[in-house]
Amino acid sequence: MAEIMDGKSLSLKILDDIKEKTALLKKRPGLSVILIGNNPASSIYVKNKEKQALNAGFNSIVYKLPETASKGELLSLINNLNNDEDIDGILLQLPLPKHLNPYDFLDKIDPKKDVDGFHPVNAGKLLLNENPYAVPCTPKGIIRLLDEYKIQIEGKNAVIIGRSNIVGKPLSMLLLNKNATVTIAHSKTKNLSEIAKNADILISATGCADMVTKDIVKEGAAVIDVGIIRDENGKLRGDVDFNNVKDIAGFITPVPGGVGPMTIAMLMENTYKLHLLRNGL
Ligand code: GUN
């Protein structure tokens, strides 16, 4: 029976620590989140980010733009936030409405305020293993969870299912920088089960229910579930067939209560760190 990796309680410890350290600062760290349109999942995520930021003692401002917002409006808002001394972190909530290309905007955010670590400068620094100003929150949270449970990364086979710019690609770099042997599997991968069965650390970030079943998991593996899927009864679940996989895995993250809360905790940590960096602290 696998040990459950409790992201919820670890995230609370991290958030408490940030709150304590923030109380000692002269100035409050400032996080601004830009939400465009009415995507229901995005609205929930943004509300949660705002709540945690306020709880940490940050200055938190959410900018809500209509679904029809123009490229010019969004560029002008980003420019204002880049020049706002009180703002340390700028987060553009994805996905954007179809008429807007995220990469027309992500590279306009000041890399030193790029709290998501999505700017090409930060992505490049991560690729080069050269101190990005910020590292993407979900991958960073996964590494923190692996560390907390003392799961060895160096020399291990890590298999990531999913090649997104938000999770799969940056996570592959973090694991590689920690000397794992990394495989990224995706929708065109042949022999997924063979590849996954070889994983000491198996991470699934696809949004497909039952992507990871017991038969493709190596005995004793650490299984990390990044999926967030609402089933037909409105209940949250992940990519992993948790009830069966837990019998064979060594470690497993639950959904909810695994990777999700760690992502938000890392967002607060990134905001705090960018504040220190920008203020020479
Ligand atoms: N949408 C889903 N995950 C994320 C994230 O980590 N950052 C942003 N900006 N948008 C997202």
Side-chain angles (χ1 to χ4, degrees):
M1 172 77 184
E3 184 170 349
I4 308 291
M5 300 172 81
D6 185 350
K8 179 78 194 169
S9 73
L10 177 55
S11 74
L12 289 175
K13 267 201 291 184
I14 294 168
L15 289 168
D16 270 354
D17 182 51
I18 295 171
K19 187 174 181 170
E20 261 177 44
K21 290 193 291 197
T22 297
L24 304 173
L25 294 171
K26 272 208 195 102
K27 214 177 137 186
R28 289 197 297 171
L31 174 64
S32 57
V33 176
I34 306 170
L35 174 64
I36 305 180
N38 308 307
N39 180 313
S42 291
S43 300
I44 294 170
Y45 295 149
V46 167
K47 218 172 245 158
N48 213 353
K49 288 169 186 177
E50 184 181 24
K51 184 175 145 199
Q52 294 302 338
L54 291 172
N55 186 47
F58 297 172
N59 183 19
S60 168
I61 308 167
V62 177
Y63 292 89
K64 289 188 181 153
L65 268 57
E67 185 83 23
T68 53
S70 69
K71 185 173 171 182
E73 274 174 272
L74 182 51
L75 287 174
S76 154
L77 174 57
I78 289 172
N79 188 44
N80 290 343
L81 294 171
N82 280 340
N83 292 315
D84 186 336
E85 271 312 305
D86 294 335
I87 293 299
D88 299 293
I90 303 170
L91 183 147
L92 177 60
Q93 183 66 32
L94 304 178
L96 298 183
K98 281 208 169 60
H99 67 285
L100 300 173
N101 175 355
Y103 294 95
D104 286 340
F105 306 102
L106 293 174
D107 68 350
K108 306 300 186 300
I109 293 173
D110 179 345
K112 291 188 177 158
K113 294 190 176 190
D114 171 33
V115 75
D116 260 324
F118 292 165
H119 189 287
V121 163
N122 285 319
K125 282 172 169 283
L126 178 60
L127 179 84
L128 300 171
N129 200 10
E130 280 298 331
N131 300 317
Y133 298 118
V135 169
C137 302
T138 301
K140 186 177 176 183
I142 291 170
I143 298 290
R144 189 64 67 81
L145 257 181
L146 292 170
D147 286 348
E148 176 74 10
Y149 284 84
K150 303 199 167 25
I151 293 163
Q152 193 185 332
I153 296 175
E154 181 162 314
K156 297 295 179 182
N157 290 331
V159 174
I160 305 165
I161 311 175
R163 55 176 154 181
S164 71
N165 291 333
I166 296 181
V167 182
K169 284 189 217 169
L171 179 59
S172 71
M173 289 300 126
L174 288 173
L175 289 164
L176 185 63
N177 293 343
K178 286 180 163 284
N179 300 317
T181 302
V182 182
T183 305
I184 307 180
H186 49 77
S187 51
K188 301 285 187 289
T189 295
K190 306 251 191 301
N191 307 326
L192 175 65
S193 61
E194 216 171 277
I195 293 167
K197 228 177 152 95
N198 204 21
D200 304 303
I201 302 169
L202 179 62
I203 300 117
S204 186
T206 70
C208 301
D210 291 334
M211 175 54 66
V212 175
T213 47
K214 186 176 176 178
D215 54 305
I216 72 164
V217 174
K218 179 175 169 178
E219 201 171 335
V223 178
I224 310 291
D225 193 345
V226 189
I228 306 177
I229 304 157
R230 213 166 270 285
D231 73 10
E232 60 276 10
N233 305 315
K235 226 180 121 204
L236 274 191
R237 60 154 301 163
D239 289 1
V240 176
D241 175 14
F242 182 90
N243 283 333
N244 292 308
V245 170
K246 71 174 176 2
D247 294 336
I248 183 163
F251 296 86
I252 189 167
T253 62
V255 177
V259 172
M262 291 302 295
T263 296
I264 297 218
M266 293 301 103
L267 176 63
M268 301 311 142
E269 187 174 279
N270 281 354
T271 306
Y272 174 79
K273 288 197 162 158
L274 291 178
H275 176 82
L276 297 186
L277 175 82
R278 293 188 57 256
N279 289 278
L281 299 170

